[in-house]
Amino acid sequence: MIRNDLHVHSIRSLCGFHTILEITEIAAKKGMRSVNICDHGKASGKKIKFDVFNNKDRFPRTIQSHQGNTITILTGIEVNILDIEGNSDLPQEQACNFDLISAGFHSMAKDLASGKSLQSNTQALRNYLNRFPLDILTHPCIATFPLDIDIVVSLAVKYGFALEVNNTKLRLNKTDVGKLKDMIDLAIEKGAALTENSDGHTIDEIGENEQIEKLLKSMGLNGNDVFFNRNDKLLYEFLEERKKARDSQHPYGRFSEES
């Protein structure tokens, strides 16, 4: 079970199956502490209004389940990186209001998907980082969008974003496992942040990490020493650092008018 799951989709995304209240009940039943609702940007086919969701005066940050457990709700988004120029569907007017901005490669990046070029995908990520904020790079070792892991880990250290180990992608055999192992080893060596997430779309996926545990066992690693989101204090330190980065004039947080 993932204590703080930073990648969960609700029914607001076309791919999600549960409302936020249902996700709260699922998380409470599994003994979780918090979930980050990171529904997709509009390029996935559904335009979502984030203003109410991101308004802390209108949407609660903690919800009590029927079991009496209190679940913290983080407000996020999973942005789509769309092309080699680094274009994305991040709603820029809301950029500083999210608790976490995640981004990843998905099927709507058609040219990148068809090319399967390690160099092009890595350049797309570089270009995205020059224009938009990033707190978590989702499923960086997905087989359909290969990346140069050495460069990606170096970028994570430079810009401060976390690299995700994704349980559902492992379940679905969509992960280059050898590359994922290399990424974990290199991230530990260089000090890049690592997070374990479910990428949960259904009740059977949310908060689950059995494939991640299996992977760590094969590597002789203890997840408590690997993933910052297993530790509440480290998680909230990460959230605060990312918030400061977005609010500041850090090069990574500047947005061009054309973007």
Side-chain angles (χ1 to χ4, degrees):
M1 181 270 294
I2 300 174
R3 180 175 173 83
N4 301 291
D5 194 344
L6 304 183
H7 189 166
V8 175
H9 292 280
S10 80
I11 201 169
R12 298 190 312 159
S13 290
L14 289 172
C15 58
F17 278 77
H18 305 293
T19 68
I20 294 174
L21 289 179
E22 288 170 340
I23 290 169
T24 300
E25 295 296 327
I26 293 165
K29 187 174 181 179
K30 294 186 179 186
M32 298 166 64
R33 186 182 186 280
S34 65
V35 293
N36 177 45
I37 307 295
C38 58
D39 289 312
H40 287 292
K42 63 182 180 180
S44 293
K46 184 177 181 181
K47 186 175 181 179
I48 300 172
K49 290 189 175 182
F50 291 96
D51 50 342
V52 174
F53 183 54
N54 283 334
N55 188 331
K56 291 178 174 58
D57 294 325
R58 301 188 66 184
F59 191 90
R61 287 300 175 262
T62 59
I63 301 176
Q64 191 172 49
S65 73
H66 284 117
Q67 297 100 321
N69 306 63
T70 298
I71 302 299
T72 298
I73 304 295
L74 300 175
T75 60
I77 185 173
E78 187 180 13
V79 175
N80 296 290
I81 300 173
L82 298 173
D83 51 40
I84 195 169
E85 286 77 25
N87 289 307
S88 80
D89 52 1
L90 173 70
Q92 289 202 112
E93 70 280 359
Q94 287 290 318
C96 289
N97 297 328
F98 291 105
D99 292 318
L100 287 168
I101 294 176
S102 303
F105 295 92
H106 301 88
S107 60
M108 63 286 307
K110 294 181 180 179
D111 289 344
L112 295 175
S114 62
K116 293 188 178 180
S117 167
L118 180 149
Q119 291 78 17
S120 294
N121 296 333
T122 305
Q123 187 59 49
L125 175 62
R126 282 184 183 276
N127 290 339
Y128 172 92
L129 290 167
N130 285 333
R131 300 171 60 187
F132 302 107
L134 179 62
D135 301 319
I136 298 174
L137 180 63
T138 59
H139 40 71
C141 297
I142 189 169
T144 47
F145 290 94
L147 291 165
D148 186 319
I149 292 303
D150 285 349
I151 292 176
V152 168
V153 172
S154 294
L155 290 172
V157 173
K158 177 181 178 180
Y159 290 102
F161 62 85
L163 299 165
E164 178 184 81
V165 179
N166 186 301
N167 195 69
T168 296
K169 292 296 186 286
L170 283 167
R171 277 188 178 185
L172 298 175
N173 296 316
K174 293 185 175 182
T175 300
D176 183 329
V177 176
K179 186 168 285 190
L180 178 59
K181 289 181 177 180
D182 290 343
M183 184 192 79
I184 293 171
D185 284 338
L186 195 57
I188 292 171
E189 177 187 333
K190 292 193 173 184
L194 288 165
T195 175
E196 63 169 347
N197 294 326
S198 72
D199 195 358
H201 294 68
T202 73
I203 187 172
D204 192 45
E205 295 172 351
I206 294 168
E208 299 300 325
N209 68 345
E210 83 290 343
Q211 293 300 316
I212 294 173
E213 287 287 5
K214 181 179 178 181
L215 179 76
L216 293 178
K217 184 177 180 180
S218 73
M219 298 176 69
L221 296 173
N222 184 334
N224 294 334
D225 301 325
V226 175
F227 301 119
F228 73 87
N229 58 319
R230 289 198 179 186
N231 182 302
D232 296 345
K233 182 176 182 291
L234 293 179
L235 170 61
Y236 285 101
E237 286 176 356
F238 180 82
L239 291 171
E240 185 61 29
E241 288 170 2
R242 304 320 298 154
K243 172 70 172 171
K244 288 179 180 177
R246 278 199 298 281
D247 289 346
S248 73
Q249 290 303 307
H250 189 286
Y252 134 100
R254 289 201 294 265
F255 315 120
S256 66
E257 292 298 323
E258 313 81 59
S259 299

